[in-house]
Amino acid sequence: MKIFIAISFLATTFFMSCAHVASVKPDMLFISGSHMDQTSWNLVTNELKNESFSILLLDRWGRDADKPASLSQIAENACSQIGKHTVVVAHSFGGSTANEMLSSCPDKIAKIIYVAALIPLPGENPTAPLAGADQKLYMSAVLLSKDRITPKSAGEFATAMDLNFAKNQKTAPAVFPESMRTLGDQLHFSLSALENVKKYYVFTSEDKIIAPSFQKKMAARAKITDSESIESGHLPMLSAPKELAAVIKRFAK
């Protein structure tokens, strides 16, 4: 009888353990846009902390202006840090990294959630989708040199990126120079890999950096699964974190 009870207990424990594993929500990888680091997502991830998501914030490895990596190397590094069934959330230029990850680890990516992000196609460079876009506002907030782009100041950059954030916040987030190396890199992922992954887009209706019209063009040619618009400039993770977190949670589930 004791043996039977012990076996029954072990079997029940194993079943419950398997059921728990099966219900675990997918991992999430957050990729920041140009000139920002992983802390730019803190307000959003704080809103998700009770959702049991396993969250990883990608650091700035390889985006150093002095010793830059190629876009494919950055993507490979990101792939090395995630498991299968990962939901990748990418902001702005981070969309290029997310897409290039489809070349290195397409089997690991369950979904991509683009947040006011670039969606370059195979053979394009990261900024190809912005051909013809007005970049005067962005250029007014940065300084160009031979091999890097440097924000003039955190305050000027935040104001240019998102007027809503600039109006409501006292302290602008830290900003960093970016190497120009990745701007010319061609993406190597296959179109079939992009077609096979579920894709979502968060449009930012007040965006002056990547205008909504360009966002919609990119979303259309990438055949987005679903989309939603929030009232925000180009930094919704800072100006509308609760709204953005709610959209990400819906798409991730």
Side-chain angles (χ1 to χ4, degrees):
M1 175 64 73
K2 290 182 178 179
I3 293 176
F4 175 78
I5 292 174
I7 293 174
S8 298
F9 173 77
L10 289 173
T12 302
T13 303
F14 177 76
F15 174 80
M16 291 179 66
S17 176
C18 289
H20 174 71
V21 170
S23 66
V24 170
K25 296 174 183 176
D27 289 341
M28 301 183 75
L29 174 71
F30 285 78
I31 306 175
S32 60
S34 294
H35 307 296
M36 312 292 285
D37 68 0
Q38 60 270 32
T39 63
S40 63
W41 291 107
N42 285 352
L43 295 177
V44 172
T45 56
N46 283 343
E47 294 293 327
L48 298 173
K49 63 185 178 181
N50 295 324
E51 296 297 324
S52 300
F53 291 118
S54 176
I55 291 173
L56 173 64
L57 303 175
L58 190 66
D59 61 24
R60 289 182 54 82
W61 179 89
R63 290 169 55 185
D64 184 273
D66 295 320
K67 297 180 180 179
S70 66
L71 186 61
S72 61
Q73 289 172 326
I74 294 171
E76 289 170 4
N77 175 63
C79 282
S80 71
Q81 299 183 53
I82 62 174
K84 291 187 176 182
H85 311 300
T86 297
V87 176
V88 178
V89 183
H91 172 241
S92 193
F93 194 86
S96 300
T97 299
N99 278 15
E100 188 63 5
M101 289 173 68
L102 292 172
S103 176
S104 299
C105 58
D107 57 318
K108 288 186 174 183
I109 301 175
K111 300 179 180 180
I112 301 177
I113 301 174
Y114 300 99
V115 180
L118 298 174
I119 312 181
L121 297 181
E124 293 183 342
N125 64 50
T127 59
L130 289 179
D134 183 357
Q135 291 290 288
K136 291 180 181 178
L137 187 58
Y138 169 73
M139 297 304 295
S140 71
V142 299
L143 297 171
L144 299 181
S145 63
K146 181 180 179 180
D147 58 356
R148 71 182 65 186
I149 308 174
T150 305
K152 291 179 179 179
S153 71
E156 286 183 79
F157 186 76
T159 300
M161 295 297 107
D162 195 324
L163 187 59
N164 291 338
F165 169 73
K167 286 180 179 178
N168 299 319
Q169 300 293 326
K170 294 181 179 180
T171 304
V175 291
F176 305 86
E178 292 280 356
S179 167
M180 290 189 182
R181 171 172 180 171
T182 56
L183 296 181
D185 286 349
Q186 286 189 337
L187 281 82
H188 303 97
F189 68 96
S190 69
L191 191 58
S192 61
L194 183 65
E195 292 172 346
N196 291 334
V197 69
K198 291 184 178 180
K199 301 169 292 293
Y200 304 82
Y201 205 102
V202 182
F203 298 114
T204 42
S205 63
E206 306 300 319
D207 203 320
K208 306 300 182 183
I209 303 302
I210 301 181
S213 59
F214 280 85
Q215 294 179 21
K216 291 176 181 178
K217 286 179 183 178
M218 288 187 288
R221 69 178 190 156
K223 300 179 182 178
I224 294 297
T225 307
D226 196 2
S227 65
E228 191 162 327
S229 180
I230 59 177
E231 188 174 343
S232 166
H234 195 60
L235 303 177
M237 69 287 299
L238 300 176
S239 63
K242 290 184 178 181
E243 294 87 343
L244 179 56
V247 175
I248 290 173
K249 181 170 66 173
R250 181 173 76 81
F251 287 161
K253 288 183 176 180

